[in-house]
Amino acid sequence: MSDVLTVRPAVLSVSPFPHDKSEATPDEVFIADGWWKSWRSSPWAGTIARNLSFDVTLNTIRQLAIRGADFRVLESPEFETYVGFICTEGDDVLHYIFVKDILRERGFSKALLGAVNLPTGYRYTHRTRLSKWLPRGRHRPDIARRKDL
């Protein structure tokens, strides 16, 4: 893993996560694409129809942004690109963590988790096959469905 990593707050547009990518910030495009592409194949995505999965995912992300969720992106000069992102809310809710497939198993998820410092017993809302690596957390999808935390 690179010694020079940057975990920073994501830059969001005035109306966060617009449907038209041309109106979105580069951070928003990366977060929306990464979340959707990794979540749509999760067995826990339920019965969301594939033709609706992007809109449902984008609306979920937008709702979280509007209610104040914290989005942070991880960049690495070594790879000259985004590496991953994390979305949290309050002190103990993890909505999503994502690292590009080709960059996994290099400690980037630990860097993202370290940047937000979740307590033991935190709750997470979106389960994927990689959630098995979140042993200190409890799966609570209902939190993401609420209008506010």
Side-chain angles (χ1 to χ4, degrees), residues 108-145:
F108 293 127
S109 292
K110 288 180 183 175
L112 285 162
L113 287 166
V116 297
N117 198 24
L118 292 165
T120 299
Y122 66 88
R123 302 164 294 164
Y124 64 94
T125 60
H126 289 75
R127 179 177 247 162
T128 67
R129 286 180 179 88
L130 298 176
S131 295
K132 64 185 175 189
W133 300 110
L134 300 172
R136 296 182 356 220
R138 295 185 327 257
H139 185 224
R140 291 288 309 277
D142 58 296
I143 296 169
R145 298 181 192 129

Side-chain angles (χ1 to χ4, degrees), residues 16-17 19 28 30-42 45 48-65 71 85 96 126 144:
F17 295 96
H19 201 279
E28 289 172 323
F30 174 69
I31 291 167
D33 284 350
W35 195 317
W36 173 62
K37 288 175 182 172
S38 61
W39 175 243
R40 70 181 174 183
S41 63
S42 170
I48 299 171
R50 290 191 190 267
N51 65 316
L52 300 176
S53 66
F54 181 76
D55 290 334
V56 169
T57 303
L58 187 62
N59 284 326
T60 298
I61 298 168
R62 185 181 296 121
Q63 287 273 150
L64 293 172
F71 293 84
F85 69 84
Y96 214 82
H126 289 75

Side-chain angles (χ1 to χ4, degrees), residues 8-19:
R8 62 168 177 76
V11 176
L12 304 182
S13 52
V14 175
S15 178
F17 295 96
H19 201 279

Side-chain angles (χ1 to χ4, degrees), residues 44-106:
W44 295 275
T47 59
I48 299 171
R50 290 191 190 267
N51 65 316
L52 300 176
S53 66
F54 181 76
D55 290 334
V56 169
T57 303
L58 187 62
N59 284 326
T60 298
I61 298 168
R62 185 181 296 121
Q63 287 273 150
L64 293 172
I66 289 169
R67 74 184 207 195
D70 180 33
F71 293 84
R72 298 183 192 198
V73 292
L74 174 64
E75 298 172 310
S76 171
E78 178 182 348
F79 300 107
E80 299 179 0
T81 185
Y82 290 107
V83 172
F85 69 84
I86 192 165
C87 174
T88 59
E89 190 172 13
D91 294 333
D92 69 340
V93 177
L94 169 65
H95 287 295
Y96 214 82
I97 184 168
F98 169 82
V99 173
K100 287 182 173 184
D101 287 344
I102 61 169
L103 299 175
R104 291 196 179 140
E105 297 187 26
R106 298 181 189 211

